[in-house]
Amino acid sequence: MTAAHRYSAVAVTLHWVIAVCILSMIPMGWWMTAAIEQPDSQALAYRVFQIHKSIGFLILALTVVRIVWRLTHRGPALPPGMKRWEAFAAHTTHVAFYTLMLALPLTGWLYVSAGWAVSQDRALEVATSWFGLFPIPHLPGVAELAAGVKRALAFQAMGAHAAMAWGAVILVALHVGAALKHQFVDRDGVLSHMVPFLKPGLKAGHEPSVSAPSSPWVERGVGVALIAVVAVAGAVAARPYAMPGLEMTRTEAPAPVSAPSSGPVSAEAPVTPGTAAAWTIDSAASSIAFGGTHAGAAFKGRFERWEGQVWFDPADLAGSKAVITVQTASARTGDPTQEGSLEGAEWFDPSRYPTARFETTGFRALGGDRYEATGRLRIKTTTVPVVLPFTFRETGGVAAVDGRLELDRTALDMGMESDATGDWVSKMIGVQIKVTARRVG
């Protein structure tokens, strides 16, 4: 069979797309690891982290495609006159590149799945979404591991990831240097195999006199061994920080505020109606929004699915009552990574606790159209007392209610493993309730 004198268009495209991705990842990684520690650049660094993860998964997917394509499509042969050690080095470098392009994203994936921030040596659970289009789950089984095991995995994965990143820098330099040598010193046209506009160095139909080494598995094994050595070195370098006996600094979560003496309110408990006038909420014209800061930048969110039962009359505050239930999985901020994190076990955990519930225990008039509702808010297994100031205006049987309050997420056991001190997400979360309702009857 006659060898091809160029790589196929698919191979060339995959090569250059992956090359651009890798070249962008290296400086990105260096910058963001330093910038994430600075308050002024923290918000930007957080977004760069998400881009970095997305590009990493893109490299992983394209590398799998490229390997399959390479195994099923014959590439150009080596040029004639090429020394055997040069051919061996070329094949070994290619194998090392393929190994790195698989191992780097996988160690990064393992690090993210462990949910531990190496730079701060504490838990930090962050979801992953691919360029904001769809979520990417953590590696199966990692989230269920003990905290100490996840910590050790995170340090070792990051140690290997960083070491292999330097290995990639060295391989890129060698690869570029070899390509330039072939183009300008040897003038054998090797660079034209991957650069379409360059003329091939061999005439059509001319077979090269030097073939690949007689034992291709030898250089493949050497390439894999080189990467394995780098990975083990990175893991060993990280191990002093991950010794099982090392004391871990943990911030204790403040104790949840006790609920009123009447006992906690269950999210699924039946509702006892009030005796005041009943109202029907216009869902399309009503909203429950929330906001705070994340990584130094303000964020706003909302719940897309919630319902309420309201009985209220300014002349009968003793008989007034309101019960609001919220589907916590419907929390939206416009940031897929934030939304994915909110579904985690240390935040809303909707797979186990699908609803949050607020139920009033009393109302008080503050003068004019201002009122105050006291009640109990239950999220997951924690119930806290809440005071909600609001305004109530009625025109023609249609009421407009506007209420605002701040909740201490730490009292609600939200994000306590990753961010009990509020370094990433503000402790105080503002909540705004806007309700349009029509009087029944």
Side-chain angles (χ1 to χ4, degrees), residues 279 393-400 436-439:
W279 298 80
R393 301 180 179 89
E394 180 183 0
T395 304
V398 177
T436 298
R438 184 175 299 276
R439 186 187 293 265

Side-chain angles (χ1 to χ4, degrees), residues 229-248:
V229 169
V230 174
V232 171
V236 171
R239 192 160 181 75
Y241 300 95
M243 293 294 289
L246 190 63
E247 184 69 23
M248 291 189 291

Side-chain angles (χ1 to χ4, degrees), residues 114-168:
W116 196 276
V118 167
S119 61
Q120 299 171 330
D121 196 10
R122 69 177 189 184
L124 183 61
E125 184 70 32
V126 180
T128 300
S129 63
W130 193 73
F131 292 110
L133 298 177
F134 54 84
I136 295 179
H138 293 328
L139 288 171
V142 178
E144 289 72 32
L145 297 174
V149 177
K150 291 195 291 185
R151 178 177 181 270
L153 277 177
F155 273 96
Q156 292 176 2
M158 180 50 66
H161 191 75
M164 286 188 288
W166 281 107

Side-chain angles (χ1 to χ4, degrees), residues 204-264:
H206 179 71
E207 291 297 318
S209 59
V210 177
S211 62
S214 58
S215 301
W217 287 105
V218 174
E219 67 268 12
R220 294 174 187 175
V222 172
V224 172
L226 288 173
I227 302 307
V229 169
V230 174
V232 171
V236 171
R239 192 160 181 75
Y241 300 95
M243 293 294 289
L246 190 63
E247 184 69 23
M248 291 189 291
T249 302
R250 308 266 327 238
T251 303
E252 294 297 327
V257 181
S258 300
S261 58
S262 58

Side-chain angles (χ1 to χ4, degrees), residues 86-142:
E86 289 180 313
F88 176 83
H91 283 277
T92 302
T93 301
H94 280 126
V95 173
F97 257 125
Y98 284 126
T99 306
L100 272 178
M101 289 187 296
L102 292 173
L104 270 168
L106 288 174
T107 52
W109 196 0
L110 177 59
Y111 173 69
V112 172
S113 300
W116 196 276
V118 167
S119 61
Q120 299 171 330
D121 196 10
R122 69 177 189 184
L124 183 61
E125 184 70 32
V126 180
T128 300
S129 63
W130 193 73
F131 292 110
L133 298 177
F134 54 84
I136 295 179
H138 293 328
L139 288 171
V142 178

Side-chain angles (χ1 to χ4, degrees), residues 72-94:
T72 56
H73 295 75
R74 185 177 181 182
L78 298 174
M82 191 173 182
K83 297 180 177 61
R84 187 167 293 276
W85 71 266
E86 289 180 313
F88 176 83
H91 283 277
T92 302
T93 301
H94 280 126

